[in-house]
PDB file of all heavy atoms in Angstrom:
ATOM      1  N   ALA D 148     130.156  63.084  36.276  1.00 83.00           N
ATOM      2  CA  ALA D 148     128.918  62.707  36.976  1.00 83.00           C
ATOM      3  C   ALA D 148     128.264  61.497  36.326  1.00 83.00           C
ATOM      4  O   ALA D 148     128.283  61.322  35.102  1.00 83.00           O
ATOM      5  CB  ALA D 148     127.946  63.873  36.978  1.00 83.00           C
ATOM      6  N   LEU D 149     127.682  60.654  37.162  1.00 85.00           N
ATOM      7  CA  LEU D 149     126.904  59.508  36.686  1.00 85.00           C
ATOM      8  C   LEU D 149     125.450  59.922  36.517  1.00 85.00           C
ATOM      9  O   LEU D 149     124.920  60.702  37.309  1.00 85.00           O
ATOM     10  CB  LEU D 149     126.997  58.354  37.689  1.00 85.00           C
ATOM     11  CG  LEU D 149     128.393  57.753  37.925  1.00 85.00           C
ATOM     12  CD1 LEU D 149     128.334  56.737  39.053  1.00 85.00           C
ATOM     13  CD2 LEU D 149     128.930  57.121  36.653  1.00 85.00           C
ATOM     14  N   GLU D 150     124.804  59.407  35.475  1.00 84.00           N
ATOM     15  CA  GLU D 150     123.400  59.705  35.214  1.00 84.00           C
ATOM     16  C   GLU D 150     122.514  58.765  36.018  1.00 84.00           C
ATOM     17  O   GLU D 150     122.660  57.539  35.937  1.00 84.00           O
ATOM     18  CB  GLU D 150     123.088  59.565  33.728  1.00 84.00           C
ATOM     19  CG  GLU D 150     123.669  60.650  32.852  1.00 84.00           C
ATOM     20  CD  GLU D 150     122.939  61.974  33.021  1.00 84.00           C
ATOM     21  OE1 GLU D 150     121.753  61.942  33.402  1.00 84.00           O
ATOM     22  OE2 GLU D 150     123.556  63.019  32.775  1.00 84.00           O
ATOM     23  N   VAL D 151     121.604  59.351  36.799  1.00 80.00           N
ATOM     24  CA  VAL D 151     120.681  58.553  37.597  1.00 80.00           C
ATOM     25  C   VAL D 151     119.858  57.635  36.690  1.00 80.00           C
ATOM     26  O   VAL D 151     119.396  58.056  35.623  1.00 80.00           O
ATOM     27  CB  VAL D 151     119.759  59.470  38.433  1.00 80.00           C
ATOM     28  CG1 VAL D 151     118.729  58.649  39.199  1.00 80.00           C
ATOM     29  CG2 VAL D 151     120.581  60.318  39.397  1.00 80.00           C
ATOM     30  N   ASP D 152     119.710  56.365  37.110  1.00 82.00           N
ATOM     31  CA  ASP D 152     118.940  55.329  36.409  1.00 82.00           C
ATOM     32  C   ASP D 152     119.679  54.722  35.211  1.00 82.00           C
ATOM     33  O   ASP D 152     119.148  53.803  34.569  1.00 82.00           O
ATOM     34  CB  ASP D 152     117.559  55.828  35.959  1.00 82.00           C
ATOM     35  CG  ASP D 152     116.618  56.047  37.134  1.00 82.00           C
ATOM     36  OD1 ASP D 152     116.814  55.373  38.163  1.00 82.00           O
ATOM     37  OD2 ASP D 152     115.717  56.884  37.030  1.00 82.00           O
ATOM     38  N   ASP D 153     120.889  55.216  34.910  1.00 86.00           N
ATOM     39  CA  ASP D 153     121.676  54.548  33.867  1.00 86.00           C
ATOM     40  C   ASP D 153     122.068  53.145  34.351  1.00 86.00           C
ATOM     41  O   ASP D 153     122.382  52.951  35.532  1.00 86.00           O
ATOM     42  CB  ASP D 153     122.947  55.342  33.558  1.00 86.00           C
ATOM     43  CG  ASP D 153     122.721  56.375  32.464  1.00 86.00           C
ATOM     44  OD1 ASP D 153     121.567  56.506  32.025  1.00 86.00           O
ATOM     45  OD2 ASP D 153     123.699  57.038  32.065  1.00 86.00           O
ATOM     46  N   VAL D 154     122.068  52.177  33.448  1.00 87.00           N
ATOM     47  CA  VAL D 154     122.479  50.816  33.781  1.00 87.00           C
ATOM     48  C   VAL D 154     123.918  50.617  33.292  1.00 87.00           C
ATOM     49  O   VAL D 154     124.198  50.756  32.096  1.00 87.00           O
ATOM     50  CB  VAL D 154     121.546  49.771  33.150  1.00 87.00           C
ATOM     51  CG1 VAL D 154     122.058  48.363  33.452  1.00 87.00           C
ATOM     52  CG2 VAL D 154     120.120  49.940  33.678  1.00 87.00           C
ATOM     53  N   LEU D 155     124.818  50.321  34.218  1.00 86.00           N
ATOM     54  CA  LEU D 155     126.231  50.144  33.900  1.00 86.00           C
ATOM     55  C   LEU D 155     126.586  48.655  33.907  1.00 86.00           C
ATOM     56  O   LEU D 155     126.170  47.916  34.808  1.00 86.00           O
ATOM     57  CB  LEU D 155     127.110  50.877  34.920  1.00 86.00           C
ATOM     58  CG  LEU D 155     126.788  52.347  35.187  1.00 86.00           C
ATOM     59  CD1 LEU D 155     127.762  52.921  36.209  1.00 86.00           C
ATOM     60  CD2 LEU D 155     126.815  53.152  33.895  1.00 86.00           C
ATOM     61  N   LEU D 156     127.334  48.240  32.909  1.00 86.00           N
ATOM     62  CA  LEU D 156     127.857  46.870  32.856  1.00 86.00           C
ATOM     63  C   LEU D 156     129.323  46.950  33.244  1.00 86.00           C
ATOM     64  O   LEU D 156     130.177  47.376  32.455  1.00 86.00           O
ATOM     65  CB  LEU D 156     127.681  46.283  31.461  1.00 86.00           C
ATOM     66  CG  LEU D 156     126.240  46.215  30.948  1.00 86.00           C
ATOM     67  CD1 LEU D 156     126.196  45.668  29.526  1.00 86.00           C
ATOM     68  CD2 LEU D 156     125.383  45.354  31.883  1.00 86.00           C
ATOM     69  N   ILE D 157     129.630  46.539  34.487  1.00 86.00           N
ATOM     70  CA  ILE D 157     130.954  46.767  35.070  1.00 86.00           C
ATOM     71  C   ILE D 157     131.711  45.447  35.177  1.00 86.00           C
ATOM     72  O   ILE D 157     131.199  44.449  35.710  1.00 86.00           O
ATOM     73  CB  ILE D 157     130.813  47.423  36.455  1.00 86.00           C
ATOM     74  CG1 ILE D 157     130.054  48.749  36.332  1.00 86.00           C
ATOM     75  CG2 ILE D 157     132.186  47.659  37.084  1.00 86.00           C
ATOM     76  CD1 ILE D 157     129.724  49.394  37.657  1.00 86.00           C
ATOM     77  N   GLU D 158     132.941  45.465  34.682  1.00 80.00           N
ATOM     78  CA  GLU D 158     133.811  44.292  34.766  1.00 80.00           C
ATOM     79  C   GLU D 158     134.338  44.137  36.194  1.00 80.00           C
ATOM     80  O   GLU D 158     134.894  45.061  36.761  1.00 80.00           O
ATOM     81  CB  GLU D 158     134.999  44.448  33.811  1.00 80.00           C
ATOM     82  CG  GLU D 158     134.635  44.380  32.334  1.00 80.00           C
ATOM     83  CD  GLU D 158     134.417  42.953  31.858  1.00 80.00           C
ATOM     84  OE1 GLU D 158     134.704  42.018  32.646  1.00 80.00           O
ATOM     85  OE2 GLU D 158     133.958  42.769  30.713  1.00 80.00           O
ATOM     86  N   THR D 159     134.115  42.965  36.796  1.00 78.00           N
ATOM     87  CA  THR D 159     134.651  42.659  38.123  1.00 78.00           C
ATOM     88  C   THR D 159     135.428  41.343  38.049  1.00 78.00           C
ATOM     89  O   THR D 159     135.446  40.672  37.011  1.00 78.00           O
ATOM     90  CB  THR D 159     133.525  42.531  39.166  1.00 78.00           C
ATOM     91  OG1 THR D 159     132.781  41.333  38.907  1.00 78.00           O
ATOM     92  CG2 THR D 159     132.586  43.729  39.132  1.00 78.00           C
ATOM     93  N   ASP D 160     136.045  40.969  39.159  1.00 76.00           N
ATOM     94  CA  ASP D 160     136.786  39.703  39.205  1.00 76.00           C
ATOM     95  C   ASP D 160     135.874  38.502  39.007  1.00 76.00           C
ATOM     96  O   ASP D 160     136.328  37.412  38.610  1.00 76.00           O
ATOM     97  CB  ASP D 160     137.521  39.572  40.546  1.00 76.00           C
ATOM     98  CG  ASP D 160     138.621  40.606  40.695  1.00 76.00           C
ATOM     99  OD1 ASP D 160     139.083  41.117  39.656  1.00 76.00           O
ATOM    100  OD2 ASP D 160     139.010  40.916  41.849  1.00 76.00           O
ATOM    101  N   GLU D 161     134.601  38.668  39.283  1.00 77.00           N
ATOM    102  CA  GLU D 161     133.641  37.566  39.186  1.00 77.00           C
ATOM    103  C   GLU D 161     132.806  37.641  37.911  1.00 77.00           C
ATOM    104  O   GLU D 161     131.813  36.940  37.773  1.00 77.00           O
ATOM    105  CB  GLU D 161     132.727  37.568  40.416  1.00 77.00           C
ATOM    106  CG  GLU D 161     133.493  37.383  41.727  1.00 77.00           C
ATOM    107  CD  GLU D 161     132.587  37.462  42.940  1.00 77.00           C
ATOM    108  OE1 GLU D 161     131.367  37.721  42.749  1.00 77.00           O
ATOM    109  OE2 GLU D 161     133.079  37.268  44.059  1.00 77.00           O
ATOM    110  N   GLY D 162     133.196  38.545  37.004  1.00 80.00           N
ATOM    111  CA  GLY D 162     132.456  38.686  35.764  1.00 80.00           C
ATOM    112  C   GLY D 162     131.796  40.055  35.652  1.00 80.00           C
ATOM    113  O   GLY D 162     132.071  40.969  36.437  1.00 80.00           O
ATOM    114  N   VAL D 163     130.912  40.178  34.681  1.00 85.00           N
ATOM    115  CA  VAL D 163     130.233  41.454  34.437  1.00 85.00           C
ATOM    116  C   VAL D 163     129.060  41.601  35.398  1.00 85.00           C
ATOM    117  O   VAL D 163     128.229  40.704  35.541  1.00 85.00           O
ATOM    118  CB  VAL D 163     129.746  41.542  32.982  1.00 85.00           C
ATOM    119  CG1 VAL D 163     128.974  42.849  32.780  1.00 85.00           C
ATOM    120  CG2 VAL D 163     130.922  41.464  32.022  1.00 85.00           C
ATOM    121  N   VAL D 164     129.010  42.773  36.076  1.00 83.00           N
ATOM    122  CA  VAL D 164     127.922  43.072  37.010  1.00 83.00           C
ATOM    123  C   VAL D 164     127.074  44.196  36.427  1.00 83.00           C
ATOM    124  O   VAL D 164     127.602  45.190  35.927  1.00 83.00           O
ATOM    125  CB  VAL D 164     128.482  43.493  38.386  1.00 83.00           C
ATOM    126  CG1 VAL D 164     127.357  43.986  39.298  1.00 83.00           C
ATOM    127  CG2 VAL D 164     129.222  42.325  39.033  1.00 83.00           C
ATOM    128  N   GLU D 165     125.769  44.001  36.483  1.00 87.00           N
ATOM    129  CA  GLU D 165     124.841  45.040  36.027  1.00 87.00           C
ATOM    130  C   GLU D 165     124.460  45.914  37.210  1.00 87.00           C
ATOM    131  O   GLU D 165     124.010  45.413  38.243  1.00 87.00           O
ATOM    132  CB  GLU D 165     123.605  44.394  35.411  1.00 87.00           C
ATOM    133  CG  GLU D 165     122.636  45.400  34.799  1.00 87.00           C
ATOM    134  CD  GLU D 165     121.450  44.719  34.139  1.00 87.00           C
ATOM    135  OE1 GLU D 165     121.633  44.114  33.065  1.00 87.00           O
ATOM    136  OE2 GLU D 165     120.356  44.769  34.747  1.00 87.00           O
ATOM    137  N   TYR D 166     124.648  47.224  37.076  1.00 88.00           N
ATOM    138  CA  TYR D 166     124.377  48.140  38.199  1.00 88.00           C
ATOM    139  C   TYR D 166     123.573  49.341  37.702  1.00 88.00           C
ATOM    140  O   TYR D 166     123.945  49.974  36.712  1.00 88.00           O
ATOM    141  CB  TYR D 166     125.686  48.607  38.829  1.00 88.00           C
ATOM    142  CG  TYR D 166     125.491  49.551  40.008  1.00 88.00           C
ATOM    143  CD1 TYR D 166     125.266  49.055  41.280  1.00 88.00           C
ATOM    144  CD2 TYR D 166     125.502  50.927  39.829  1.00 88.00           C
ATOM    145  CE1 TYR D 166     125.066  49.904  42.357  1.00 88.00           C
ATOM    146  CE2 TYR D 166     125.303  51.795  40.896  1.00 88.00           C
ATOM    147  CZ  TYR D 166     125.089  51.271  42.160  1.00 88.00           C
ATOM    148  OH  TYR D 166     124.887  52.126  43.227  1.00 88.00           O
ATOM    149  N   ARG D 167     122.481  49.642  38.390  1.00 88.00           N
ATOM    150  CA  ARG D 167     121.662  50.814  38.063  1.00 88.00           C
ATOM    151  C   ARG D 167     122.065  51.970  38.976  1.00 88.00           C
ATOM    152  O   ARG D 167     122.045  51.837  40.199  1.00 88.00           O
ATOM    153  CB  ARG D 167     120.179  50.498  38.217  1.00 88.00           C
ATOM    154  CG  ARG D 167     119.269  51.676  37.804  1.00 88.00           C
ATOM    155  CD  ARG D 167     117.798  51.298  37.947  1.00 88.00           C
ATOM    156  NE  ARG D 167     117.424  50.257  37.015  1.00 88.00           N
ATOM    157  CZ  ARG D 167     117.053  50.467  35.752  1.00 88.00           C
ATOM    158  NH1 ARG D 167     117.008  51.712  35.285  1.00 88.00           N
ATOM    159  NH2 ARG D 167     116.726  49.458  34.973  1.00 88.00           N
ATOM    160  N   VAL D 168     122.407  53.085  38.383  1.00 88.00           N
ATOM    161  CA  VAL D 168     122.878  54.250  39.148  1.00 88.00           C
ATOM    162  C   VAL D 168     121.743  54.830  39.973  1.00 88.00           C
ATOM    163  O   VAL D 168     120.637  55.063  39.472  1.00 88.00           O
ATOM    164  CB  VAL D 168     123.448  55.327  38.201  1.00 88.00           C
ATOM    165  CG1 VAL D 168     123.900  56.555  38.998  1.00 88.00           C
ATOM    166  CG2 VAL D 168     124.600  54.771  37.385  1.00 88.00           C
ATOM    167  N   ARG D 169     122.032  55.053  41.260  1.00 84.00           N
ATOM    168  CA  ARG D 169     121.047  55.630  42.172  1.00 84.00           C
ATOM    169  C   ARG D 169     121.339  57.112  42.382  1.00 84.00           C
ATOM    170  O   ARG D 169     122.434  57.593  42.110  1.00 84.00           O
ATOM    171  CB  ARG D 169     121.098  54.918  43.527  1.00 84.00           C
ATOM    172  CG  ARG D 169     121.047  53.405  43.442  1.00 84.00           C
ATOM    173  CD  ARG D 169     121.359  52.786  44.789  1.00 84.00           C
ATOM    174  NE  ARG D 169     121.632  51.358  44.693  1.00 84.00           N
ATOM    175  CZ  ARG D 169     122.042  50.614  45.699  1.00 84.00           C
ATOM    176  NH1 ARG D 169     122.243  51.167  46.883  1.00 84.00           N
ATOM    177  NH2 ARG D 169     122.269  49.325  45.533  1.00 84.00           N
ATOM    178  N   ARG D 170     120.341  57.836  42.884  1.00 75.00           N
ATOM    179  CA  ARG D 170     120.548  59.246  43.192  1.00 75.00           C
ATOM    180  C   ARG D 170     121.609  59.370  44.287  1.00 75.00           C
ATOM    181  O   ARG D 170     121.557  58.683  45.297  1.00 75.00           O
ATOM    182  CB  ARG D 170     119.245  59.900  43.645  1.00 75.00           C
ATOM    183  CG  ARG D 170     119.392  61.389  43.976  1.00 75.00           C
ATOM    184  CD  ARG D 170     118.059  62.078  44.146  1.00 75.00           C
ATOM    185  NE  ARG D 170     117.443  62.343  42.846  1.00 75.00           N
ATOM    186  CZ  ARG D 170     116.324  61.799  42.421  1.00 75.00           C
ATOM    187  NH1 ARG D 170     115.679  60.960  43.183  1.00 75.00           N
ATOM    188  NH2 ARG D 170     115.836  62.092  41.228  1.00 75.00           N
ATOM    189  N   GLY D 171     122.572  60.249  44.080  1.00 73.00           N
ATOM    190  CA  GLY D 171     123.638  60.432  45.052  1.00 73.00           C
ATOM    191  C   GLY D 171     124.872  59.611  44.766  1.00 73.00           C
ATOM    192  O   GLY D 171     125.907  59.789  45.420  1.00 73.00           O
ATOM    193  N   ASP D 172     124.799  58.698  43.784  1.00 82.00           N
ATOM    194  CA  ASP D 172     125.959  57.880  43.435  1.00 82.00           C
ATOM    195  C   ASP D 172     127.021  58.731  42.734  1.00 82.00           C
ATOM    196  O   ASP D 172     126.704  59.599  41.915  1.00 82.00           O
ATOM    197  CB  ASP D 172     125.551  56.740  42.492  1.00 82.00           C
ATOM    198  CG  ASP D 172     125.026  55.526  43.243  1.00 82.00           C
ATOM    199  OD1 ASP D 172     125.152  55.507  44.476  1.00 82.00           O
ATOM    200  OD2 ASP D 172     124.479  54.618  42.590  1.00 82.00           O
ATOM    201  N   SER D 173     128.272  58.450  43.036  1.00 83.00           N
ATOM    202  CA  SER D 173     129.412  58.996  42.312  1.00 83.00           C
ATOM    203  C   SER D 173     130.280  57.823  41.872  1.00 83.00           C
ATOM    204  O   SER D 173     130.029  56.668  42.263  1.00 83.00           O
ATOM    205  CB  SER D 173     130.220  59.943  43.208  1.00 83.00           C
ATOM    206  OG  SER D 173     130.787  59.227  44.300  1.00 83.00           O
ATOM    207  N   VAL D 174     131.288  58.115  41.077  1.00 86.00           N
ATOM    208  CA  VAL D 174     132.193  57.043  40.645  1.00 86.00           C
ATOM    209  C   VAL D 174     132.817  56.364  41.858  1.00 86.00           C
ATOM    210  O   VAL D 174     132.901  55.131  41.939  1.00 86.00           O
ATOM    211  CB  VAL D 174     133.290  57.618  39.722  1.00 86.00           C
ATOM    212  CG1 VAL D 174     134.375  56.567  39.466  1.00 86.00           C
ATOM    213  CG2 VAL D 174     132.684  58.085  38.408  1.00 86.00           C
ATOM    214  N   GLU D 175     133.234  57.184  42.844  1.00 85.00           N
ATOM    215  CA  GLU D 175     133.862  56.643  44.044  1.00 85.00           C
ATOM    216  C   GLU D 175     132.903  55.767  44.840  1.00 85.00           C
ATOM    217  O   GLU D 175     133.275  54.678  45.320  1.00 85.00           O
ATOM    218  CB  GLU D 175     134.383  57.778  44.930  1.00 85.00           C
ATOM    219  CG  GLU D 175     135.545  58.566  44.347  1.00 85.00           C
ATOM    220  CD  GLU D 175     135.114  59.534  43.254  1.00 85.00           C
ATOM    221  OE1 GLU D 175     133.894  59.738  43.076  1.00 85.00           O
ATOM    222  OE2 GLU D 175     135.999  60.069  42.567  1.00 85.00           O
ATOM    223  N   VAL D 176     131.661  56.220  44.967  1.00 85.00           N
ATOM    224  CA  VAL D 176     130.666  55.464  45.743  1.00 85.00           C
ATOM    225  C   VAL D 176     130.409  54.102  45.106  1.00 85.00           C
ATOM    226  O   VAL D 176     130.388  53.065  45.781  1.00 85.00           O
ATOM    227  CB  VAL D 176     129.356  56.274  45.872  1.00 85.00           C
ATOM    228  CG1 VAL D 176     128.231  55.389  46.419  1.00 85.00           C
ATOM    229  CG2 VAL D 176     129.550  57.487  46.774  1.00 85.00           C
ATOM    230  N   VAL D 177     130.204  54.092  43.784  1.00 86.00           N
ATOM    231  CA  VAL D 177     129.919  52.832  43.089  1.00 86.00           C
ATOM    232  C   VAL D 177     131.134  51.910  43.142  1.00 86.00           C
ATOM    233  O   VAL D 177     131.001  50.690  43.349  1.00 86.00           O
ATOM    234  CB  VAL D 177     129.507  53.099  41.630  1.00 86.00           C
ATOM    235  CG1 VAL D 177     129.319  51.784  40.878  1.00 86.00           C
ATOM    236  CG2 VAL D 177     128.221  53.915  41.595  1.00 86.00           C
ATOM    237  N   ALA D 178     132.339  52.468  42.979  1.00 85.00           N
ATOM    238  CA  ALA D 178     133.549  51.654  43.030  1.00 85.00           C
ATOM    239  C   ALA D 178     133.705  50.978  44.389  1.00 85.00           C
ATOM    240  O   ALA D 178     134.028  49.781  44.478  1.00 85.00           O
ATOM    241  CB  ALA D 178     134.770  52.520  42.719  1.00 85.00           C
ATOM    242  N   ASN D 179     133.452  51.730  45.450  1.00 86.00           N
ATOM    243  CA  ASN D 179     133.554  51.154  46.798  1.00 86.00           C
ATOM    244  C   ASN D 179     132.456  50.130  47.051  1.00 86.00           C
ATOM    245  O   ASN D 179     132.683  49.095  47.698  1.00 86.00           O
ATOM    246  CB  ASN D 179     133.478  52.263  47.847  1.00 86.00           C
ATOM    247  CG  ASN D 179     134.701  53.159  47.828  1.00 86.00           C
ATOM    248  OD1 ASN D 179     135.774  52.733  47.413  1.00 86.00           O
ATOM    249  ND2 ASN D 179     134.544  54.402  48.270  1.00 86.00           N
ATOM    250  N   ARG D 180     131.259  50.403  46.527  1.00 85.00           N
ATOM    251  CA  ARG D 180     130.130  49.504  46.762  1.00 85.00           C
ATOM    252  C   ARG D 180     130.354  48.153  46.089  1.00 85.00           C
ATOM    253  O   ARG D 180     130.002  47.102  46.647  1.00 85.00           O
ATOM    254  CB  ARG D 180     128.844  50.157  46.252  1.00 85.00           C
ATOM    255  CG  ARG D 180     127.584  49.370  46.520  1.00 85.00           C
ATOM    256  CD  ARG D 180     126.361  50.191  46.135  1.00 85.00           C
ATOM    257  NE  ARG D 180     126.169  51.292  47.069  1.00 85.00           N
ATOM    258  CZ  ARG D 180     125.588  52.454  46.766  1.00 85.00           C
ATOM    259  NH1 ARG D 180     125.169  52.667  45.537  1.00 85.00           N
ATOM    260  NH2 ARG D 180     125.441  53.382  47.678  1.00 85.00           N
ATOM    261  N   LEU D 181     130.950  48.161  44.908  1.00 84.00           N
ATOM    262  CA  LEU D 181     131.145  46.916  44.155  1.00 84.00           C
ATOM    263  C   LEU D 181     132.554  46.359  44.302  1.00 84.00           C
ATOM    264  O   LEU D 181     132.865  45.303  43.731  1.00 84.00           O
ATOM    265  CB  LEU D 181     130.848  47.154  42.669  1.00 84.00           C
ATOM    266  CG  LEU D 181     129.433  47.640  42.323  1.00 84.00           C
ATOM    267  CD1 LEU D 181     129.283  47.799  40.820  1.00 84.00           C
ATOM    268  CD2 LEU D 181     128.388  46.682  42.860  1.00 84.00           C
ATOM    269  N   ASP D 182     133.401  47.099  45.055  1.00 85.00           N
ATOM    270  CA  ASP D 182     134.784  46.692  45.264  1.00 85.00           C
ATOM    271  C   ASP D 182     135.515  46.521  43.928  1.00 85.00           C
ATOM    272  O   ASP D 182     136.145  45.492  43.648  1.00 85.00           O
ATOM    273  CB  ASP D 182     134.854  45.383  46.071  1.00 85.00           C
ATOM    274  CG  ASP D 182     136.275  45.110  46.595  1.00 85.00           C
ATOM    275  OD1 ASP D 182     137.044  46.087  46.706  1.00 85.00           O
ATOM    276  OD2 ASP D 182     136.589  43.943  46.875  1.00 85.00           O
ATOM    277  N   VAL D 183     135.404  47.571  43.089  1.00 87.00           N
ATOM    278  CA  VAL D 183     136.106  47.582  41.806  1.00 87.00           C
ATOM    279  C   VAL D 183     136.878  48.892  41.704  1.00 87.00           C
ATOM    280  O   VAL D 183     136.741  49.788  42.537  1.00 87.00           O
ATOM    281  CB  VAL D 183     135.120  47.466  40.613  1.00 87.00           C
ATOM    282  CG1 VAL D 183     134.397  46.130  40.661  1.00 87.00           C
ATOM    283  CG2 VAL D 183     134.126  48.618  40.613  1.00 87.00           C
ATOM    284  N   SER D 184     137.682  49.028  40.684  1.00 87.00           N
ATOM    285  CA  SER D 184     138.444  50.261  40.497  1.00 87.00           C
ATOM    286  C   SER D 184     137.545  51.369  39.962  1.00 87.00           C
ATOM    287  O   SER D 184     136.513  51.099  39.329  1.00 87.00           O
ATOM    288  CB  SER D 184     139.603  50.035  39.537  1.00 87.00           C
ATOM    289  OG  SER D 184     139.112  49.810  38.224  1.00 87.00           O
ATOM    290  N   ARG D 185     137.969  52.592  40.182  1.00 87.00           N
ATOM    291  CA  ARG D 185     137.213  53.727  39.642  1.00 87.00           C
ATOM    292  C   ARG D 185     137.253  53.728  38.121  1.00 87.00           C
ATOM    293  O   ARG D 185     136.276  54.121  37.467  1.00 87.00           O
ATOM    294  CB  ARG D 185     137.791  55.035  40.193  1.00 87.00           C
ATOM    295  CG  ARG D 185     137.666  55.159  41.712  1.00 87.00           C
ATOM    296  CD  ARG D 185     138.325  56.429  42.213  1.00 87.00           C
ATOM    297  NE  ARG D 185     138.290  56.503  43.673  1.00 87.00           N
ATOM    298  CZ  ARG D 185     138.807  57.494  44.382  1.00 87.00           C
ATOM    299  NH1 ARG D 185     139.410  58.499  43.772  1.00 87.00           N
ATOM    300  NH2 ARG D 185     138.725  57.478  45.701  1.00 87.00           N
ATOM    301  N   ASP D 186     138.383  53.287  37.560  1.00 87.00           N
ATOM    302  CA  ASP D 186     138.484  53.231  36.096  1.00 87.00           C
ATOM    303  C   ASP D 186     137.451  52.286  35.507  1.00 87.00           C
ATOM    304  O   ASP D 186     136.882  52.548  34.437  1.00 87.00           O
ATOM    305  CB  ASP D 186     139.885  52.776  35.684  1.00 87.00           C
ATOM    306  CG  ASP D 186     140.932  53.868  35.903  1.00 87.00           C
ATOM    307  OD1 ASP D 186     140.533  55.047  36.003  1.00 87.00           O
ATOM    308  OD2 ASP D 186     142.132  53.544  35.993  1.00 87.00           O
ATOM    309  N   ALA D 187     137.157  51.193  36.218  1.00 87.00           N
ATOM    310  CA  ALA D 187     136.157  50.240  35.720  1.00 87.00           C
ATOM    311  C   ALA D 187     134.781  50.884  35.667  1.00 87.00           C
ATOM    312  O   ALA D 187     134.014  50.672  34.713  1.00 87.00           O
ATOM    313  CB  ALA D 187     136.129  48.994  36.614  1.00 87.00           C
ATOM    314  N   VAL D 188     134.464  51.679  36.688  1.00 87.00           N
ATOM    315  CA  VAL D 188     133.161  52.374  36.710  1.00 87.00           C
ATOM    316  C   VAL D 188     133.117  53.429  35.618  1.00 87.00           C
ATOM    317  O   VAL D 188     132.121  53.567  34.895  1.00 87.00           O
ATOM    318  CB  VAL D 188     132.916  53.010  38.094  1.00 87.00           C
ATOM    319  CG1 VAL D 188     131.587  53.758  38.098  1.00 87.00           C
ATOM    320  CG2 VAL D 188     132.923  51.946  39.192  1.00 87.00           C
ATOM    321  N   ARG D 189     134.200  54.202  35.479  1.00 88.00           N
ATOM    322  CA  ARG D 189     134.229  55.241  34.454  1.00 88.00           C
ATOM    323  C   ARG D 189     134.121  54.647  33.055  1.00 88.00           C
ATOM    324  O   ARG D 189     133.423  55.183  32.189  1.00 88.00           O
ATOM    325  CB  ARG D 189     135.510  56.072  34.583  1.00 88.00           C
ATOM    326  CG  ARG D 189     135.405  57.188  35.624  1.00 88.00           C
ATOM    327  CD  ARG D 189     136.582  58.126  35.526  1.00 88.00           C
ATOM    328  NE  ARG D 189     137.807  57.515  36.041  1.00 88.00           N
ATOM    329  CZ  ARG D 189     138.214  57.614  37.296  1.00 88.00           C
ATOM    330  NH1 ARG D 189     137.491  58.302  38.163  1.00 88.00           N
ATOM    331  NH2 ARG D 189     139.338  57.043  37.678  1.00 88.00           N
ATOM    332  N   ASP D 190     134.808  53.535  32.816  1.00 87.00           N
ATOM    333  CA  ASP D 190     134.739  52.902  31.496  1.00 87.00           C
ATOM    334  C   ASP D 190     133.316  52.444  31.195  1.00 87.00           C
ATOM    335  O   ASP D 190     132.822  52.602  30.074  1.00 87.00           O
ATOM    336  CB  ASP D 190     135.693  51.707  31.433  1.00 87.00           C
ATOM    337  CG  ASP D 190     137.155  52.141  31.428  1.00 87.00           C
ATOM    338  OD1 ASP D 190     137.412  53.331  31.152  1.00 87.00           O
ATOM    339  OD2 ASP D 190     138.033  51.299  31.726  1.00 87.00           O
ATOM    340  N   ALA D 191     132.641  51.881  32.198  1.00 87.00           N
ATOM    341  CA  ALA D 191     131.267  51.403  31.998  1.00 87.00           C
ATOM    342  C   ALA D 191     130.314  52.561  31.719  1.00 87.00           C
ATOM    343  O   ALA D 191     129.348  52.412  30.963  1.00 87.00           O
ATOM    344  CB  ALA D 191     130.814  50.624  33.223  1.00 87.00           C
TER     345      ALA D 191
END
């Protein structure tokens, strides 16, 4: 589970993206939203 309001620094093809976890977010949701792999979200 992702912690609500946590700030994740996620590696993408365009560089590091800062993302604040929203209520209802899961690893899959964030990965699809940012078009990155699930492993990238989990690592962050």
